[in-house]
Amino acid sequence: MGGRDKPLLHIGGGTMMARIIATLRADGHPIAISANGDPSRFGEFAVPVLSDGAFRGEGPLAGVLAGLDWATASGATALLTVPGDTPFVPPGLAAALAPPPACAASDGRLHHLVALWPIECRGALRALLSAPGRRDIAAFQRTIGVRNVDFAVVTCDPFLNVNTPEDLAQARAIAEEKT
């Protein structure tokens, strides 16, 4: 995507991040963004921006750990993660995934980062990131007993992930149809 922040790309009159945050806020969830680099680029959303800290460069699981630390400090018992380039997440996502640990599935695919993580997995994840080796999300999820929760594909895959210019064009077309 040309090195651009995918969550800040526009579809349907707003950014992908704005769509995701609006859906999650409607469900009443506290929100933080996991991102490295200059946090001010997400300033318009008025939410905490969490860096990977000591585990920067260790991949998406480092962001999950940062989120788990934030959720723990906030008094939560679980953390819902949603990639910033999945603009069509359904309302009620956390409730549909509960109880943790669980991850979303649709159209025969698992979406490992659309997941509800129990706070209790924080220690195991910190240990994994502290040791040399693979940072395999699916393997870690298996160790904590993640359930897969199937979501129907109605008008579009609710977990459509925008990774290419073609995906972006498809997301823009879908967003236009939905408005």
Side-chain angles (χ1 to χ4, degrees), residues 17-18 53 59 77 93 98 101 106 109 118 126 133 143 151 166 174 178:
M17 182 65 71
T77 59
L93 179 59
S106 62
R109 292 185 54 226
R126 190 175 314 282
T143 68
F151 287 79
E166 294 79 21
I174 292 167
K178 289 182 171 244

Side-chain angles (χ1 to χ4, degrees), residues 154-171:
V154 181
T155 57
C156 72
D157 187 334
F159 310 110
L160 172 73
N161 189 261
V162 176
N163 288 315
T164 66
E166 294 79 21
D167 294 339
L168 181 60
Q170 179 184 10

Side-chain angles (χ1 to χ4, degrees), residues 83-140:
D85 57 0
T86 54
F88 303 113
V89 294
L93 179 59
L97 289 171
C103 89
S106 62
D107 204 21
R109 292 185 54 226
L110 294 177
H111 306 282
H112 295 288
L113 288 172
V114 180
L116 192 62
W117 305 83
I119 295 302
E120 295 80 18
C121 76
R122 203 164 61 120
L125 182 51
R126 190 175 314 282
L128 173 77
L129 292 172
S130 296
R134 293 185 58 217
R135 308 300 188 225
D136 186 312
I137 299 165
F140 179 72

Side-chain angles (χ1 to χ4, degrees), residues 31-71:
I31 297 168
I33 296 172
S34 171
N36 291 306
D38 183 4
S40 69
R41 68 192 195 275
F42 298 107
E44 70 183 274
F45 303 112
V47 298
V49 178
L50 313 173
S51 78
D52 293 349
F55 297 108
R56 186 173 183 162
E58 295 294 328
L61 286 173
V64 172
L65 180 59
L68 286 166
D69 288 342
W70 170 79

